[in-house]
Amino acid sequence: MSAADTVLTGCRIRTLDPERPSATAVAVKDGRIVAVGEEADVRDWRGAHTEVVDLGGATLTPGLVDGHSHPVLGLEMATGLDLSGCRDLDELRAALADAARAAASGAWVTGYGLDHNTFGGRPVHHDLIDPALGGVPAFLRLYDGHSALASGPALQAAGIDGPRAFAQRARVVCDADRRPTGHLIEPAAMDLMQPVLPVEDTSVRRSRLLKLLRDMAATGLTGAHVMDLQGVGVLDLLAGCEAEAGALPVRLRIAPWCMPGTDTAGLDHLVALQRERGRHWRVGGVKFFMDGTVEGGTAWLEHADCHGQGTEAFWPDPAAYTAAVHHLARAGVRTATHAIGDAAVRHVLDTVVQLTDPQERSLHRIEHIETVPTGQLERFAQLGVAASMQPTHTAYTRADHTDEWSKRVGEERAGRAWRCRDLRDAGATLALGSDWPIAHYDPREVLATARLRRLPGRPETAPVLAGQALTGLMALEGYTSHAALAAGEQDTSGRIAPGYRADLTAFTVDPVDAPADELAEGPITLTMTGGEVVHRA
């Protein structure tokens, strides 16, 4: 027996290993766990160069993995003003006016996190913000990440002067006279702004990404399922980060997008991309969109929303989506589909049921699942399709259904929203995540919200569908063992057991038993990724 690199002691360990559910010490060597048990069980692993860390009574769990995140694309999206605190138009205009006054000559005002509820039910239109900006061009991303508001001068700079046709369900919203309102819905429409938006230097981009990943590690994250490969030179960016830092502090499993119109050659290219990897990053899967968002009118619903929208799929030919998923499944590639509306969720499940090989069926997962009827719930477990959900997204809705999301889908569908508990009770694998930058990446906030059905620290806020709350253990499993199942990594991660990756998170409070509001505030004692301590309090 050779000596371990690290021995962690003085802790309560929630192993999530049914063979040994609890322990007090763990030994790590060469990035793997080599022993788990009591202190006597790891004593012989200590050597002259072993680092022994007393965790001082912390609770140690498998490393937390965000089941849905956009760390690279998010750097582009989360730039400029953080507008998430604006609650009405007056606050928004004041923030924009201050930014416009401070802007250098020729500069833009950019912002993100803008809540649809800020407009108070008014149509999103650049006339609402242009006077505050005084002629300074502005591009503001709404919180859903699928829509944005461009000011009048910004539209002129990009040459957007009327409606456009797209291969996918995207829209340049125009008034009755075919003049653009500035409301751009879905990526293809927002991408029209890219040629005129400010571009970030590569070295700055690399530094920002490394800082973001270190900040994520400080919240206990050891991994993230990245649902895009968008942007120029992303793989080179990741390789550059590892060349600079040695290894990423957070493992990234990346699923590039497959968009409508992708032909056989494009699908085969996505298969070939699965070979790309670094030390702590890899391409692993493909991301589809079956719909967009409720607020943008692009969620695919069984019947129209209150504005008569939402009855079309993101893929104009849903059968082409089915064929693409089947092509990738036959190649053994894992796939994930963004499906928010009830029709979108149904079509994805109908696509999977057509696969006759259970192994091919198990390669799929569905992202978001914002509203789904009871009849579809049991199909997840029956088909082996994982559910991936983001509890903090409920913060954009209200318990009394007076928010824009609830008003658009109507009372019946709002009453079956974000059915986390129902999916777990139906036997489904349920991975949890943040969808950063749509919501904050801090897993403690997500874990707490999953239990509270409201954001932690806001006891005055009524919970949204309180019956859908998860237990503390279910929430932790969503970031550990169920995240591993959703990625097909259950044999290497998601539990603390010999042979598993040494990805570990130490909480100052027990994430299962501590009050949820306290969990959100409890510091992270230590984060270890691949046997390396990447954060220590």
Side-chain angles (χ1 to χ4, degrees):
M1 181 186 297
S2 58
D5 299 318
T6 310
V7 169
L8 304 177
T9 66
C11 55
R12 175 187 184 184
I13 303 179
R14 288 191 174 273
T15 66
L16 299 191
D17 178 5
E19 299 297 320
R20 185 164 196 164
S22 63
T24 62
V26 59
V28 171
K29 180 176 176 59
D30 296 331
R32 297 279 172 174
I33 296 166
V34 291
V36 181
E38 307 308 311
E39 299 224 10
D41 298 315
V42 302
R43 186 176 298 123
D44 290 343
W45 284 96
R46 297 190 186 192
H49 300 290
T50 301
E51 180 183 14
V52 180
V53 181
D54 186 333
L55 292 174
T59 298
L60 189 69
T61 72
L64 303 183
V65 176
D66 190 321
H68 190 119
S69 186
H70 301 275
V72 180
L73 179 61
L75 290 176
E76 174 187 322
M77 295 173 64
T79 56
L81 300 173
D82 181 353
L83 299 171
S84 61
C86 296
R87 292 291 172 258
D88 54 40
L89 275 173
D90 287 341
E91 292 183 6
L92 173 61
R93 289 165 176 157
L96 295 179
D98 288 344
R101 283 192 293 269
S105 176
W108 283 57
V109 170
T110 59
Y112 65 97
L114 181 56
D115 193 333
H116 286 267
N117 294 298
T118 301
F119 297 96
R122 302 174 184 84
V124 177
H125 200 294
H126 64 78
D127 285 349
L128 298 173
I129 62 170
D130 281 355
L133 289 161
V136 175
F139 182 69
L140 313 177
R141 295 182 184 272
L142 279 83
Y143 78 80
D144 60 13
H146 285 245
S147 56
L149 173 58
S151 68
L155 292 171
Q156 293 174 7
I160 302 174
D161 56 7
R164 300 287 181 92
F166 301 100
Q168 56 192 252
R169 302 296 182 192
R171 189 156 54 108
V172 174
V173 180
C174 295
D175 61 20
D177 297 319
R178 297 174 63 83
R179 293 175 301 195
T181 66
H183 192 190
L184 307 174
I185 299 178
E186 296 303 333
M190 293 187 288
D191 285 348
L192 296 174
M193 297 297 304
Q194 289 301 323
V196 296
L197 291 174
V199 178
E200 191 169 60
D201 179 79
T202 301
S203 62
V204 174
R205 192 173 175 221
R206 185 168 60 245
S207 296
R208 286 185 67 209
L209 178 58
L210 282 171
K211 181 182 184 305
L212 171 67
L213 296 178
R214 291 179 184 122
D215 290 345
M216 287 180 165
T219 67
L221 285 174
T222 64
H225 298 166
V226 181
M227 292 297 163
D228 71 90
L229 187 59
Q230 297 304 103
V232 177
V234 174
L235 298 183
D236 289 339
L237 173 67
L238 295 172
C241 287
E242 289 208 322
E244 178 178 326
L248 302 181
V250 175
R251 293 182 192 274
L252 303 181
R253 183 185 178 95
I254 304 163
W257 290 356
C258 181
M259 301 299 268
T262 302
D263 59 13
T264 300
L267 293 171
D268 289 339
H269 173 67
L270 290 169
V271 174
L273 272 177
Q274 307 300 307
R275 296 192 293 265
E276 298 289 341
R277 65 189 62 209
R279 183 177 170 189
H280 279 173
W281 64 268
R282 61 161 297 184
V283 176
V286 170
K287 166 79 175 296
F288 289 87
F289 293 86
M290 203 63 245
D291 63 357
T293 66
V294 167
E295 296 90 338
T298 52
W300 188 17
L301 305 169
E302 297 287 10
H303 59 269
D305 64 21
C306 69
H307 295 287
Q309 298 176 330
T311 57
E312 296 177 316
F314 187 81
W315 283 61
D317 178 9
Y321 157 84
T322 298
V325 169
H326 289 187
H327 183 103
L328 294 172
R330 288 191 295 271
V333 176
R334 307 191 75 85
T335 53
T337 299
H338 168 121
I340 278 177
D342 42 19
V345 174
R346 173 186 50 76
H347 185 79
V348 177
L349 293 170
D350 288 347
T351 291
V352 175
V353 79
Q354 294 175 41
L355 295 166
T356 57
D357 185 338
Q359 178 60 36
E360 291 181 0
R361 287 181 174 180
S362 69
L363 295 174
H364 203 79
R365 53 191 275 179
I366 303 180
E367 310 298 311
H368 306 311
I369 316 169
E370 291 188 0
T371 180
V372 60
T374 298
Q376 300 293 336
L377 295 176
E378 63 183 14
R379 300 182 72 194
F380 283 82
Q382 289 172 351
L383 297 173
V385 174
S388 170
M389 301 181 74
Q390 301 75 44
T392 44
H393 285 195
T394 59
Y396 297 114
T397 63
R398 300 170 188 151
D400 62 4
H401 299 165
T402 58
D403 57 278
E404 290 301 312
W405 187 95
S406 299
K407 286 189 290 186
R408 286 199 77 132
V409 298
E411 285 291 322
E412 190 271 331
R413 284 181 293 213
R416 49 178 167 85
W418 289 282
R419 302 180 72 172
C420 295
R421 183 57 178 265
D422 286 346
L423 279 163
R424 275 301 305 258
D425 288 347
T429 295
L430 178 61
L432 300 181
S434 67
D435 198 12
W436 186 84
I438 310 308
H440 200 279
Y441 54 74
D442 192 330
R444 294 166 297 180
E445 183 172 275
V446 181
L447 290 169
T449 303
R451 295 164 58 186
L452 297 167
R453 298 291 290 193
R454 61 162 173 81
L455 291 178
R458 300 185 186 179
E460 74 284 356
T461 302
V464 175
L465 300 174
Q468 293 301 323
L470 298 177
T471 67
L473 180 58
M474 287 176 175
L476 178 61
E477 288 170 340
Y479 262 87
T480 53
S481 56
H482 280 230
L485 283 165
E489 297 181 342
Q490 62 271 23
D491 294 331
T492 58
S493 67
R495 66 176 64 178
I496 300 177
Y500 278 65
R501 292 195 302 232
D503 296 346
L504 304 166
T505 302
F507 295 80
T508 52
V509 300
D510 189 323
V512 172
D513 291 339
D517 286 302
E518 292 182 16
L519 168 61
E521 296 296 326
I524 296 297
T525 301
L526 178 142
T527 307
M528 174 180 282
T529 303
E532 299 289 333
V533 175
V534 294
H535 164 75
R536 193 186 309 226

